[in-house]
Amino acid sequence: MLPPPSSPHRAQIEHLVRRALYERLGRTPPRVALAPNPLLVNVSARHCHLTPQAVETLFGKGRTLTPMKWLYQKGQYAAQESVTLIGPRSRVISNLRILGPCRDLNQVELALTDAIALGFDVPIRMSGSIAGTPGCMLMGPNGFLEMKEGVIRAAPHVHMSPDDTAFYDVKAGDFMKLRIGGPCAMTFDRMLVRVHADFRLEVHIDTDEGNACALQSDTPAELLK
Amino acid sequence: MLPPPSSPHRAQIEHLVRRALYERLGRTPPRVALAPNPLLVNVSARHCHLTPQAVETLFGKGRTLTPMKWLYQKGQYAAQESVTLIGPRSRVISNLRILGPCRDLNQVELALTDAIALGFDVPIRMSGSIAGTPGCMLMGPNGFLEMKEGVIRAAPHVHMSPDDTAFYDVKAGDFMKLRIGGPCAMTFDRMLVRVHADFRLEVHIDTDEGNACALQSDTPAELLK
């Protein structure tokens, strides 16, 4: 299934309008208007990534994920399928969304508030770096999946293409600052830079981080080296 | 009931040791070591404040609050008593802690994650400023209390004495920055300054804010104008 043509995000329209206005007015644009791409800041609610084998274990032989909502990163989607997460104190989170497509590892990403509620002592990790992290049990309609490890709090990060890294003068693995405006203005000092030719410029923070800064779609946001 | 003599907080000991070390070594102390008081950053989990009448409605005629744990601000405590909060979608939070002593208004303070889970559209307010805020229902062993208003997300704030405001050169109602170190380093740009002669220097942030910056007892914190 291919993603449908999506309507542009507010940040993309703002970026175009900002550029056009400065040009029309003949004024020197601020640095943000010169960036090759608009900056999106999106909140990732708790979710998991699964292998094709894990999907079959949980949902049944031959079952695959079905896209429900396309995300901003190319080809990434929230699946119709969700699972129940069972924590170390037998507390559960129902309807833990699966993000597709499948990956080559199983990983659960929780905000610290979620983790504390369930009794996980989660480390802050970059996605994919799960050695030594806590495990958990997932439950689907077809059965249980025991994960020996893979429960993390994802480090806040920014997806960048090489165009973006050139503009911001950073490289993969660097940390940048993200300045958020509005009534709960704050600056995140450690946004991990992740780089891929296919990445669209997008910050991912979790629900604790998004709620702490009261992020809305019109909240001002700026990336700083 | 009078508060028992409490053992000093880690931040108080650090402050004393820092001063002594710089003096012993004959080196110029950094500005933070010159502050009249140590800085404590504490996370306030969701809680409520009640009037004496509300306590009687919820717990029974003649009932008063019983201190369970003394807080850092003089005379303030977490009570043994707690209530059940019922939100607009009939979802509940059990064991919502009451903070004492009683006040002259009823107020529920939630983190945004709590508020979203229950279905409240909470505004960010300074404690006590509850006009036009959502109401809720509280349930105690003796009955229900309908609050017409009073559910807020407390603005992050710092309690200061006049000694502190003189040192930091701020006044009541100003906003300061709070810089937090560690693996989730961030800077809060809008810490509301609250001043009273009896206040001990202490920042109050909620669980979303505390979890977003992964606050621990040894996390570095600094107040900046």
Side-chain angles (χ1 to χ4, degrees):
Chain A
M1 181 177 163
L2 286 174
S6 64
S7 51
H9 188 281
R10 178 189 174 112
Q12 295 172 282
I13 296 171
E14 281 183 355
H15 196 61
L16 290 170
V17 171
R18 192 181 290 118
R19 284 184 169 201
L21 275 177
Y22 278 98
E23 193 172 326
R24 186 76 61 90
L25 296 170
R27 291 175 56 185
T28 310
R31 185 162 164 74
V32 62
L34 300 173
N37 295 298
L39 171 66
L40 267 71
V41 179
N42 278 320
V43 172
S44 297
R46 57 196 178 220
H47 63 268
C48 65
H49 301 281
L50 297 176
T51 64
Q53 296 72 37
V55 171
E56 290 200 334
T57 301
L58 291 159
F59 294 92
K61 189 77 184 160
R63 286 289 305 272
T64 55
L65 298 177
T66 311
M68 179 179 71
K69 182 188 168 196
W70 294 95
L71 305 178
Y72 189 62
Q73 295 300 321
K74 286 175 197 162
Q76 302 294 306
Y77 58 85
Q80 285 178 10
E81 292 78 10
S82 66
V83 294
T84 297
L85 166 66
I86 304 163
R89 293 192 291 175
S90 295
R91 294 190 183 174
V92 303
I93 286 181
S94 306
N95 301 319
L96 182 73
R97 191 61 50 193
I98 306 170
L99 298 194
C102 283
R103 299 195 179 179
D104 58 2
L105 92 179
N106 298 311
Q107 178 174 290
V108 170
E109 300 182 30
L110 301 178
L112 192 46
T113 297
D114 301 324
I116 291 169
L118 262 72
F120 288 108
D121 185 15
V122 287
I124 302 157
R125 291 290 181 90
M126 185 171 77
S127 184
S129 175
I130 60 169
T133 60
C136 68
M137 191 73 90
L138 297 183
M139 182 175 72
N142 190 62
F144 289 90
L145 174 75
E146 188 185 350
M147 286 172 52
K148 297 288 188 191
E149 58 186 11
V151 182
I152 65 169
R153 168 184 178 174
H157 58 275
V158 53
H159 293 262
M160 289 187 150
S161 70
D163 278 358
D164 300 315
T165 57
F167 176 77
Y168 289 103
D169 190 21
V170 293
K171 59 184 190 305
D174 282 357
F175 289 101
M176 296 188 72
K177 291 182 195 296
L178 174 71
R179 183 182 293 163
I180 301 286
C184 298
M186 62 176 60
T187 303
F188 294 87
D189 290 338
R190 288 171 62 85
M191 301 298 310
L192 181 65
V193 174
R194 297 180 56 190
V195 183
H196 192 282
D198 290 341
F199 279 169
R200 304 177 76 182
L201 184 64
E202 184 188 25
V203 161
H204 279 166
I205 55 178
D206 68 22
T207 45
D208 286 345
E209 294 151 350
N211 288 339
C213 66
L215 191 76
Q216 307 269 305
S217 61
D218 59 350
T219 304
E222 187 181 6
L223 270 179
L224 305 164
K225 197 181 171 182
Chain B
M1 180 175 166
L2 285 174
S6 63
S7 52
H9 189 281
R10 177 189 174 113
Q12 296 171 282
I13 296 170
E14 280 182 355
H15 196 61
L16 290 170
V17 171
R18 191 180 291 120
R19 284 184 168 202
L21 275 177
Y22 278 98
E23 192 172 327
R24 186 77 61 91
L25 296 170
R27 291 174 55 186
T28 310
R31 183 159 166 76
V32 62
L34 300 172
N37 294 299
L39 171 66
L40 266 72
V41 179
N42 278 322
V43 172
S44 297
R46 56 193 179 223
H47 63 269
C48 65
H49 301 282
L50 298 176
T51 64
Q53 297 72 33
V55 170
E56 291 201 335
T57 301
L58 290 160
F59 294 93
K61 189 75 187 160
R63 286 288 305 272
T64 55
L65 298 177
T66 312
M68 179 180 71
K69 182 188 169 197
W70 293 95
L71 305 178
Y72 189 62
Q73 294 300 322
K74 286 175 197 161
Q76 303 293 307
Y77 57 86
Q80 285 178 11
E81 293 79 10
S82 65
V83 293
T84 297
L85 167 65
I86 305 164
R89 295 192 291 175
S90 296
R91 295 189 182 173
V92 303
I93 287 180
S94 306
N95 301 318
L96 182 74
R97 191 61 50 193
I98 306 170
L99 298 194
C102 282
R103 299 196 178 178
D104 58 3
L105 92 178
N106 298 311
Q107 178 174 290
V108 171
E109 299 182 30
L110 301 178
L112 192 47
T113 297
D114 301 324
I116 291 169
L118 263 71
F120 287 109
D121 185 14
V122 285
I124 302 156
R125 291 290 181 90
M126 185 172 77
S127 185
S129 175
I130 60 169
T133 61
C136 69
M137 191 74 91
L138 297 182
M139 183 174 73
N142 190 61
F144 290 89
L145 175 75
E146 188 184 350
M147 286 172 52
K148 298 288 188 191
E149 58 185 11
V151 182
I152 65 167
R153 167 183 179 174
H157 57 275
V158 53
H159 294 259
M160 290 187 149
S161 71
D163 279 358
D164 300 314
T165 56
F167 176 78
Y168 289 103
D169 190 21
V170 293
K171 60 184 189 306
D174 283 357
F175 289 100
M176 297 189 71
K177 292 181 193 295
L178 174 71
R179 184 182 292 162
I180 301 286
C184 298
M186 63 176 60
T187 303
F188 294 87
D189 291 338
R190 287 172 63 84
M191 302 298 310
L192 181 66
V193 174
R194 298 180 56 188
V195 183
H196 191 282
D198 290 342
F199 280 170
R200 304 177 75 183
L201 183 64
E202 184 189 25
V203 162
H204 279 165
I205 55 179
D206 68 22
T207 45
D208 286 344
E209 293 151 351
N211 288 339
C213 66
L215 191 76
Q216 308 268 305
S217 63
D218 59 350
T219 303
E222 188 181 4
L223 268 179
L224 306 164
K225 196 180 172 183

